[in-house]
């Protein structure tokens, strides 16, 4: 039987615009494969039609199915058959949505709508309205309320035109569905009272069409309850949701996704009403759906496991709370992996709404003294930050880490899965028998058989609830076992430190995690770990950091007071352990705004820490090879921008910087590679230089880093163009580059410091071994002094990068090579051009540069 698309005459198709190898589909209709493979998109539509009503395709089959739809779409476009192309695009979008490939689904849906936007026939108008509805739903999922409202209005307008021409219940129901989507969009916009009214209007329409207990009316009832809950009206939320529960069980089954979501909502409502026992009962009933649908229940898992974590923690069952906290984090990790192609605004909810899963779990682990696991969870969240900052780079896989369960926790999770499978299996047998009877009247024997199965199904559910309750009561008694080596943060840190110790370096890793009510310090030394807690709220910590940074950048003579406060809070608690261990290099894995701090400039009341320690940033999101490269001064490239471009001021000192560092024929520079300034420094020149795989790449130009905005963060090229960080990560390979120096970075510093890790991760994952960058624009006269001493340490004296930077900073601190004229690097740096009395000894001049990655 031909599909609906076959109503248009079949023509010969030699090829479509996309190269395609016509892969066979397991569930395709073989009758049409030969013609489809010969290039007939109509035959292709018949071939894939069975898959359009199926779900649960394995990943490879699914991708092949989507590829068929895309090929068909292009073929229909080439033949100017807009309706058919729209159908193919719409099918692709609808199958992408359940897989959470929302950005791709939005693109396909917009294409569908675009094909039909000018069509006037009824079928095209109807499909266009359907696409607009689908697009509204996608925008809601992406938390983009304004776009969703616009799509809702477009869909409703088209449907109203069709309804006015020929009123039908089907069209009335679709119009009601636009009211539902409107309610969802209003929830996103936090206009909850309006959302309640939108869902109530939808209910009234459905009530007229199918009655107050109809299938669509049931969803409207539940949506009213959800909107009441979002708005904090918990009693009304409970009443409406309880009204819809028996109906959704009737229509979808008690172990369906919708029934599970309803029980989660009731659990959350009960929790907010102060009834934890009821909340536990409700979310326990969700576990069978999760166990039988692990891939399709990720959103259910996040809510369910998080609520179980809260409830169990409040009951004092910390072991079980940690188990469910890990399971919630793992569900979030999988959601991140599936949304790896989303744009910045689309993933904002992933970070803002669900970051609490990582923090709350880490807090639980810290309280139990399980610091290794807490560090691992913190690193997972830092992966999330870097993932979001560089999310458009499809090759950067930073979201595959999962919280590894201990052996005891694995047993517990398996037991829950086994228990949950029992009521699901009973229900499936019951439904299969019920379906086999159809709508006919049952014989007495058949009726008895059905009722017996119904009794068995409910008995299985009761047994499940009782056994889960018993499990939760006894789980805390299980023996806690060691964390797997695969995900032992301290263990992996120890491996790094022992390797460095073998090379003659005493190193330590200091991880700093800022939580809402405290900052946690994890110190890993060769063979030992230490932990300290700083009882300061996140707001107070951020305020202290920014006060210190402002004092630095205005060259405040009293800056040491601010730097001592930071030292006392963030370094003093662990400093004795470093001194006992004879630590030389401290690798920092900092979170939140602590990434903006130049730790070398922290002051202990007597002197700066740079006197005692070298510092480097440990980029947890990208594995780093700690190996020392050969030092070849002639394997260097230098680029710079001296002229003003747009809002960026001129950098007159850059020419001096490049000429000081590179040998320009006078035998004075430390480096002897090629250089290029201004117009000679363009994208092509950068690409050309990277093909030669230089060991050192020195770039003296504005590098604007905007928190959370990978496309707004860019390097200013010499021709005035902007090279976005996303393109640097995608287009350029830094293979062989032992050090990338960015000597004029400037961050907007309005976020949490994730852009600091972001620029490092972009370069490191593209092949660079290390990055040195400035936290703020530094005076023109100061930079060449520090850089020349730094490179002299690397190439002249054979120091590693961290030691060379430390020595250069100390030299400037002590006033060696001070300049008497200061041309400012950026207008925002200092308000006047006077040389401070202390020369360049102020930490503003020497502490701006940080080393990230391989410091050897």
């Amino acid at each position: 039987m031909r599909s609906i698309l076959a109503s248009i005459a079949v023509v010969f198709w030699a090829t479509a615009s996309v190269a395609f190898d016509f892969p066979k589909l397991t569930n395709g209709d073989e009758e049409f494969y030969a013609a489809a493979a010969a290039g007939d998109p109509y035959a292709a539509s018949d071939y894939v039609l069975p898959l359009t009503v199926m779900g649960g395709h394995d990943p490879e089959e699914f991708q092949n199915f989507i590829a068929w739809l895309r090929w068909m779409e292009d073929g229909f476009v080439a033949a100017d058959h807009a309706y058919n192309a729209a159908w193919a695009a719409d099918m692709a979008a609808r199958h992408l949505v359940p897989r959470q490939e929302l950005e791709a689904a939005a693109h396909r849906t917009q294409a569908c709508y675009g094909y039909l936007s000018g069509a006037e026939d009824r079928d095209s108008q109807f499909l266009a309205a359907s696409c607009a509805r689908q697009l509204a739903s996608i925008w809601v999922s992406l938390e983009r309320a304004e776009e969703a409202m616009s799509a809702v209005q477009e869909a409703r307008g088209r449907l109203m035109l069709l309804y006015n021409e020929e009123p039908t219940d089907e069209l009335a129901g679709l119009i009601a569905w636009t009211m539902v989507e409107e309610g969802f969009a209003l929830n996103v916009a936090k206009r909850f009272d309006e959302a309640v009214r939108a869902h109530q209007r939808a209910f009234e329409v459905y009530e007229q069409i199918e009655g107050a207990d109809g299938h669509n009316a049931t969803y409207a009832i539940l949506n009213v309850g959800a909107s009441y809950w979002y708005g904090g009206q918990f009693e009304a939320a409970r009443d409406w949701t309880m009204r819809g529960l028996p109906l959704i069980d009737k229509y979808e089954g008690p172990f369906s996704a919708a029934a599970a979501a309803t029980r989660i909502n009731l659990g959350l409502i009960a929790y907010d009403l102060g009834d934890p026992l009821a909340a536990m009962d409700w979310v326990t009933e969700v576990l069978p759906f999760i166990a039988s649908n692990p891939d399709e229940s990720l959103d259910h898992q996040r809510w369910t496991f998080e609520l179980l974590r809260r409830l169990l923690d409040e009951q004092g069952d910390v072991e079980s709370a940690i188990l469910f906290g890990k399971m919630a984090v793992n569900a979030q990790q999988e959601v991140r992996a599936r949304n790896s192609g989303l744009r910045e605004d689309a993933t904002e909810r992933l970070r803002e709404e669900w970051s609490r899963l990582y923090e709350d779990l880490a807090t639980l682990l810290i309280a139990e003294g399980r610091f290794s696991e807490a560090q691992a969870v913190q690193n997972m969240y830092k992966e999330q930050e870097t993932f979001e900052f560089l999310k458009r780079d499809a090759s950067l896989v930073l979201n595959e880490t999962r919280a590894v369960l201990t052996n005891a926790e694995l047993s517990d999770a398996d037991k829950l899965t086994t228990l949950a499978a029992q009521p699901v299996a009973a229900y499936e047998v019951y439904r299969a028998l019920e379906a086999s009877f159809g709508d006919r009247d049952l014989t007495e024997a058949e009726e008895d058989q059905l009722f017996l199965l119904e009794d068995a199904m409910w008995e299985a559910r009761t047994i499940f609830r009782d056994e889960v309750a018993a499990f939760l009561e006894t789980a805390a008694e299980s023996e806690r076992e060691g964390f797997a080596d695969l995900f032992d943060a301290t263990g992996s840190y120890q491996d790094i430190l022992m390797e460095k110790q073998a090379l003659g370096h005493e190193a330590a890793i200091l991880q700093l995690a800022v939580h809402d009510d405290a900052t946690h310090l994890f110190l890993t030394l060769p063979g030992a770990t230490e932990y300290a807690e700083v009882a300061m709220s996140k707001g107070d910590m951020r305020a202290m950091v920014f006060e210190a940074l402002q004092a630095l950048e205005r060259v405040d003579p009293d800056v040491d007071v601010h730097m001592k406060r930071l030292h006392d809070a963030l370094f003093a608690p662990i400093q004795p352990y470093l001194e006992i261990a004879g630590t030389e290099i401290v690798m920092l894995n900092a979170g939140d705004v602590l990434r903006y701090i130049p730790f070398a400039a922290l002051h202990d009341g007597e002197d700066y820490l740079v006197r005692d320690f070298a510092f480097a940033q440990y980029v947890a999101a990208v594995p780093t090879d700690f190996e020392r490269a050969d030092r070849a001064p002639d394997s260097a490239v230098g680029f710079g921008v001296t002229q003003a471009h747009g809002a960026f001021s001129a950098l007159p000192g850059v020419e001096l910087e490049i000429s000081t560092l590179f040998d320009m024929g006078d035998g004075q520079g430390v480096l002897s590679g090629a250089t290029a300034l201004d117009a000679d420094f363009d994208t092509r020149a950068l690409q050309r230089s990277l093909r030669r795989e230089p060991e050192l790449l020195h770039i003296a130009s504005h590098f604007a880093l905007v928190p959370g905005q990978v496309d707004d963060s860019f390097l200013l090229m010499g021709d005035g163009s902007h090279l976005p960080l996303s393109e640097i990560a995608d287009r350029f390979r830094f293979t062989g580059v032992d050090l990338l120096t960015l000597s004029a970075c400037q961050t907007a510093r309005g976020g949490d410091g994730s852009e600091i890790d972001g620029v490092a991760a972009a370069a490191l994952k593209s092949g660079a071994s290390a990055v040195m960058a400035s936290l703020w624009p530094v005076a023109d006269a100061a930079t060449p002094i520090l850089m020349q001493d730094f490179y002299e340490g690397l190439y002249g004296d054979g120091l590693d990068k961290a030691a060379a930077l430390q020595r250069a900073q100390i030299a400037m601190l002590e006033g060696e090579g001070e300049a008497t004229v200061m041309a400012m690097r950026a207008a925002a740096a200092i308000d006047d051009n006077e040389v401070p009395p202390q020369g360049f000894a102020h930490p503003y001049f020497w502490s701006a540069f940080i080393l990230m990655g391989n410091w050897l």
Side-chain angles (χ1 to χ4, degrees), residues 405-474:
L405 305 183
T406 64
N407 291 337
E409 289 168 344
L410 281 170
S411 299
D412 293 341
D414 289 342
K415 183 176 182 180
L416 283 175
T417 300
T418 302
L419 290 174
Q422 296 172 5
V424 175
Y427 177 71
E428 288 175 348
V429 173
Y430 168 79
R431 287 297 297 266
L433 181 64
E434 184 183 44
S436 71
F437 292 146
D439 296 330
R440 65 179 173 82
D441 293 335
L442 304 183
T443 66
E444 185 175 349
E446 290 172 337
E447 195 173 70
D448 287 344
Q449 186 180 9
L450 193 64
F451 288 161
L452 281 172
L453 275 176
E454 188 173 299
D455 291 342
M457 177 183 68
W458 294 113
E459 183 178 354
R461 291 187 66 184
T462 302
I463 292 172
F464 165 72
R465 285 195 297 269
D466 291 344
E467 291 192 356
V468 169
F471 157 77
L472 294 175
E473 289 178 3
T474 60

Side-chain angles (χ1 to χ4, degrees), residues 629-677:
D630 295 332
R631 300 284 189 246
D634 58 346
S635 182
V637 177
F639 292 115
V641 178
T642 68
Q643 301 173 356
H645 293 280
F648 291 98
S649 60
L651 303 175
V654 162
E655 185 171 2
L656 173 64
E657 178 178 332
I658 296 297
S659 64
T660 299
L661 300 176
F662 286 80
D663 185 354
M664 299 302 195
D666 55 7
Q668 299 300 311
V670 179
L671 308 171
S672 56
T675 64
L677 296 176

Side-chain angles (χ1 to χ4, degrees), residues 222-249:
L222 295 174
N223 290 331
V224 171
S227 292
Y228 271 129
W229 178 69
Y230 291 140
Q233 300 184 55
F234 302 130
E235 289 83 1
R238 177 195 57 205
D239 295 344
W240 278 84
T241 308
M242 286 297 297
R243 176 180 173 182
L245 178 64
L247 297 174
I248 201 65
D249 281 354

Side-chain angles (χ1 to χ4, degrees), residues 5 92 105 185 286 300-301 351 403 473 504 606 806 830 856:
L5 296 180
V286 180
H300 297 77
Q301 290 176 46
R351 180 171 182 175
E473 289 178 3
E606 296 182 1
Q806 179 188 24
I830 303 179
L856 284 173

Side-chain angles (χ1 to χ4, degrees), residues 164-187:
N164 291 335
E165 292 176 3
E166 184 180 342
T168 65
D169 284 349
E170 179 188 13
L171 287 171
L174 293 174
I175 292 169
W177 189 250
T178 66
M179 299 173 187
V180 171
E181 292 294 346
E182 180 182 5
F184 292 158
L186 289 166
N187 282 334

Side-chain angles (χ1 to χ4, degrees), residues 177-233:
W177 189 250
T178 66
M179 299 173 187
V180 171
E181 292 294 346
E182 180 182 5
F184 292 158
L186 289 166
N187 282 334
V188 172
K190 303 188 185 306
R191 294 155 58 182
F192 303 121
D193 290 342
E194 296 175 67
V196 166
R197 291 194 291 272
H199 288 305
Q200 287 176 331
R201 289 196 301 272
F203 171 71
E204 291 167 1
V205 176
Y206 288 134
E207 185 178 27
Q208 294 178 2
I209 298 172
E210 60 185 27
D213 59 352
H215 199 167
N216 289 306
T218 298
Y219 277 102
I221 290 168
L222 295 174
N223 290 331
V224 171
S227 292
Y228 271 129
W229 178 69
Y230 291 140
Q233 300 184 55

Side-chain angles (χ1 to χ4, degrees), residues 150-171:
S150 177
V152 162
Q153 296 303 323
E154 182 65 33
R156 187 179 302 163
R158 288 181 179 273
L159 290 170
M160 287 299 298
L161 288 174
L162 295 172
Y163 184 85
N164 291 335
E165 292 176 3
E166 184 180 342
T168 65
D169 284 349
E170 179 188 13
L171 287 171

Side-chain angles (χ1 to χ4, degrees), residues 520-593:
H520 304 278
L521 311 182
F522 308 91
L523 178 65
T524 305
L525 296 160
T529 59
E530 301 294 342
Y531 165 76
E533 177 178 319
V534 182
M536 182 182 296
S537 71
K538 180 182 290 186
D540 290 343
M541 178 63 72
R542 286 177 167 178
M544 183 168 65
V545 169
F546 281 111
E547 286 175 6
L549 293 174
Q550 289 169 0
L552 271 170
E553 293 196 30
R554 66 173 178 261
V555 197
D556 189 334
D558 294 325
V559 69
D560 292 354
V561 175
H562 298 279
M563 302 313 287
K564 186 175 187 305
R565 288 180 191 146
L566 290 178
H567 169 271
D568 292 349
L570 301 174
F571 206 81
I574 52 87
Q575 188 168 352
Y577 304 109
L578 293 169
E579 293 171 349
I580 292 171
T583 303
E584 301 168 280
I585 170 75
V586 179
M587 301 162 64
L588 299 165
N589 182 3
D592 205 75
V593 299

